[in-house]
Amino acid sequence: MLFMKKTLILILLAFAPCLTLLAADGDGDITLSNVSITSDSSQVAVSMGMVLDGITMGRNRQMLVTPYMEDGKGHVQTLPTVLINGRNMHYVYRRSGLPANIRQEYGEVKHVVARDGSKPQTYAYVASVPAQSWIRRGQVSLRLSVDRCGCGVTLGSDQSEPLATVDMNPAPSMRLCFVTPPVTDQPVVSHEGRARVQFEVDSITLHTDPYVCRNGQRIDNREQLGIIHDSISYALSDPNVEIAAISVCGYASPESPYVHNDYLATNRSRSLSEYLGKRYSLPRERCTYSAVPENWEEFRQQVEESADITPAQRDALLQLIDRPTYGPSDFDAKEAELKTSKTFSRLYREKILPQWFPMLRCTKFVINTRLRPMPDEKLAEIIAATPQLMTLNQMFRVARLYPEGSEEFNRTIATALRYYASDPVANANAAIAAIKEGRLGEAETYLDKAGNLPEAENARGVLATYRGDYEAAVRHFDAAGILPEAQKNKALVE
């Protein structure tokens, strides 16, 4: 694999913390300089300057210092030990080597340095060990175990504070990018209502003021039109919304020929729609109309709910109503049977025509409202009160008003996910925010719903890197295509 041939290097230049090591015959401290930890797929190498300037060694004394790495989770990797000799002990070491007890404890010691009195002295320490997976997965501390008497000690029984803490996993330094949602139609809130607007017989003219017809019938639509106006006023009670559309559907009863009913219902609906458009200064495309020439559906409901007919009458009427129809003539045949059949004619004259059919002549209307156009700063107020009126794009624009990772930013991203729970973009952004906060398990759940967005694939690659699965990380970064962040992250892994 390409990434197994290259080296990930983490260098801490001029890193010089102070570690106090008690020499056998005096106090002193070792400092480190130019610490470098490098890692590839097989080896972890450590190089550093072990500064001995503060150590005063007696001529007949020696100490053994063992660097080691640990992750705080029980994993430990020792590095080769350094033997520091006083002047006389160094001569003994050169003639006789290590005493048996030290060899048994430490094995072969390859790093040996003679302390030159109290003169400035730095030992260039370089060592490498196998790159165990836990080392490459996360944070690693560099510590020292010190044997001051040369008698051997159990690792960790005399350890310092960490000399260096290095995150060997490149994931924390990887780049994540949020997804800008596409601009979509504004969500609408629908307010439905029903009114019985009257028209003169065979007329499609809407009378908004009281009117006496040619046959003497008096029409007064003020109350029914008031129902519609009150509904519109209620829909617009929020000053931040506007009318997105008003749709009107007129219903006629089944008497008279179907084609004639179709003409009346359609044009009466058009008259009412045009009246509302002018009243509220709406363009024509925001006022639509439709018609149901014969309201058989609600006629069926009347039959089912009526307590004034016998079970036999109810069954017969339902059979007639449910009979298949293939055109206007079939509807007219049903109406003719209601008028003339011995089964229905009396019921038709006494109840259906005078009582039920008038209730079928009505107008149903739907008022859709949406947010008015407004700046993002105003949208920030809206999201706190009525977020359901906002698009995902608007919510993201509000999030961008705040620094990434801030409480306000993350809260807005969470709100977007709450109202667009199945949207891939909302889930991708929630996952990215979670990764930035260290909530990796939560991020993985969100990414399951984020689809194949390049930004989501990049986030999956970062998660795989956190797990130490670098092969999977490269696959995800490649799947992100030309996304610049993914290409840079891939280079870090490799």
Side-chain angles (χ1 to χ4, degrees):
M1 297 293 294
L2 179 60
F3 67 85
M4 297 177 68
K5 297 179 181 178
K6 296 187 179 180
T7 302
L8 172 65
I9 303 178
L10 297 157
I11 301 178
L12 291 84
L13 294 176
F15 184 78
C18 179
L19 167 67
T20 300
L21 302 178
L22 297 180
D25 54 349
D27 292 335
D29 48 356
I30 291 178
T31 59
L32 303 181
S33 65
N34 298 329
V35 177
S36 171
I37 301 177
T38 68
S39 173
D40 62 20
S41 60
S42 61
Q43 294 287 314
V44 172
V46 177
S47 65
M48 57 188 172
M50 193 173 287
V51 182
L52 309 178
D53 297 4
I55 297 293
T56 302
M57 290 286 294
R59 294 184 178 187
N60 298 321
R61 298 294 182 180
Q62 63 184 182
M63 61 169 33
L64 294 107
V65 180
T66 304
Y68 66 97
M69 293 181 289
E70 59 92 20
D71 65 353
K73 300 178 182 178
H75 298 109
V76 175
Q77 174 66 63
T78 60
L79 295 165
T81 298
V82 178
L83 172 62
I84 303 175
N85 288 321
R87 179 175 295 181
N88 293 342
M89 286 302 297
H90 196 61
Y91 292 143
V92 173
Y93 166 78
R94 292 178 66 180
R95 289 195 305 269
S96 307
L98 291 173
N101 66 317
I102 294 180
R103 286 201 308 273
Q104 183 177 0
E105 178 76 18
Y106 292 96
E108 183 181 1
V109 178
K110 296 182 178 180
H111 294 268
V112 181
V113 57
R115 178 71 181 104
D116 189 5
S118 59
K119 295 180 180 180
Q121 186 178 5
T122 298
Y123 176 69
Y125 181 91
V126 177
S128 62
V129 292
Q132 300 184 51
S133 60
W134 63 267
I135 295 178
R136 290 167 54 79
R137 263 200 307 267
Q139 198 172 73
V140 175
S141 296
L142 179 63
R143 298 174 180 266
L144 294 181
S145 178
V146 182
D147 179 355
R148 296 189 296 265
C149 62
C151 53
V153 294
T154 301
L155 183 66
S157 64
D158 187 12
Q159 66 184 28
S160 71
E161 292 298 315
L163 296 176
T165 300
V166 179
D167 201 330
M168 298 297 292
N169 191 309
S173 61
M174 286 182 168
R175 302 185 180 191
L176 292 157
C177 52
F178 290 92
V179 189
T180 300
V183 176
T184 58
D185 291 337
Q186 201 72 37
V188 297
V189 176
S190 296
H191 307 264
E192 299 183 4
R194 176 183 178 128
R196 294 187 62 213
V197 178
Q198 291 182 298
F199 288 84
E200 187 176 3
V201 175
D202 281 339
S203 172
I204 60 174
T205 301
L206 174 66
H207 296 288
T208 59
D209 296 319
Y211 178 79
V212 178
C213 304
R214 288 167 295 180
N215 62 2
Q217 178 190 9
R218 188 174 187 274
I219 291 177
D220 188 350
N221 283 319
R222 289 177 297 180
E223 180 180 350
Q224 297 301 311
L225 291 176
I227 293 174
I228 301 176
H229 296 319
D230 288 346
S231 297
I232 294 175
S233 296
Y234 175 78
L236 295 177
S237 59
D238 183 345
N240 296 311
V241 305
E242 65 178 4
I243 295 176
I246 296 177
S247 59
V248 173
C249 183
Y251 290 77
S253 55
E255 79 269 21
S256 299
Y258 183 94
V259 173
H260 184 62
N261 287 337
D262 186 17
Y263 167 80
L264 291 176
T266 299
N267 286 282
R268 287 172 176 176
S269 295
R270 179 177 59 81
S271 297
L272 179 57
S273 174
E274 291 176 350
Y275 160 75
L276 294 174
K278 292 179 181 178
R279 172 74 179 265
Y280 294 98
S281 302
L282 296 175
R284 180 173 296 180
E285 62 271 14
R286 290 200 200 177
C287 290
T288 61
Y289 62 92
S290 59
V292 176
E294 295 186 358
N295 194 358
W296 288 91
E297 181 179 350
E298 292 193 7
F299 180 35
R300 191 184 200 285
Q301 185 177 344
Q302 289 174 330
V303 172
E304 287 181 325
E305 296 176 354
S306 175
D308 298 334
I309 58 176
T310 66
Q313 288 175 321
R314 180 177 290 105
D315 291 341
L317 281 170
L318 291 177
Q319 286 183 7
L320 181 143
I321 293 170
D322 292 341
R323 195 165 67 201
T325 52
Y326 303 99
S329 60
D330 296 320
F331 288 105
D332 292 341
K334 286 185 181 184
E335 185 208 350
E337 187 170 341
L338 283 173
K339 290 179 179 179
T340 60
S341 169
K342 293 181 179 180
T343 305
F344 307 119
S345 58
R346 181 175 179 180
L347 182 65
Y348 181 83
R349 292 192 306 273
E350 295 179 355
K351 183 175 293 292
I352 294 176
L353 184 62
Q355 298 179 25
W356 290 1
F357 275 7
M359 301 302 296
L360 302 180
R361 305 165 197 150
C362 66
T363 299
K364 295 182 180 179
F365 56 89
V366 178
I367 305 157
N368 290 331
T369 58
R370 65 187 177 196
L371 276 182
R372 297 178 182 275
M374 61 185 66
D376 294 348
E377 290 75 13
K378 181 65 176 178
L379 289 173
E381 300 175 11
I382 298 298
I383 200 171
T386 52
Q388 69 274 12
L389 297 178
M390 296 175 61
T391 66
L392 186 58
N393 177 273
Q394 287 174 321
M395 291 183 177
F396 188 71
R397 281 157 44 196
V398 170
R400 284 297 192 196
L401 295 174
Y402 312 107
E404 284 189 12
S406 66
E407 180 181 351
E408 295 86 354
F409 180 91
N410 290 339
R411 183 172 60 246
T412 305
I413 293 297
T415 300
L417 181 65
R418 187 162 66 251
Y419 285 90
Y420 293 89
S422 61
D423 189 280
V425 172
N427 279 276
N429 285 340
I432 293 165
I435 293 174
K436 287 177 173 284
E437 288 195 315
R439 296 179 280 115
L440 304 185
E442 191 175 327
E444 196 158 6
T445 300
Y446 297 145
L447 286 174
D448 288 341
K449 302 178 184 178
N452 58 356
L453 293 166
E455 295 85 353
E457 288 292 353
N458 180 58
R460 293 185 184 106
V462 174
L463 280 182
T465 305
Y466 271 114
R467 294 193 301 266
D469 189 350
Y470 297 123
E471 292 186 9
V474 169
R475 289 197 302 271
H476 286 301
F477 292 141
D478 284 339
I482 61 172
L483 188 72
E485 289 81 0
Q487 295 303 307
K488 292 175 182 177
N489 292 341
K490 178 182 175 182
L492 284 177
V493 172
E494 292 179 337

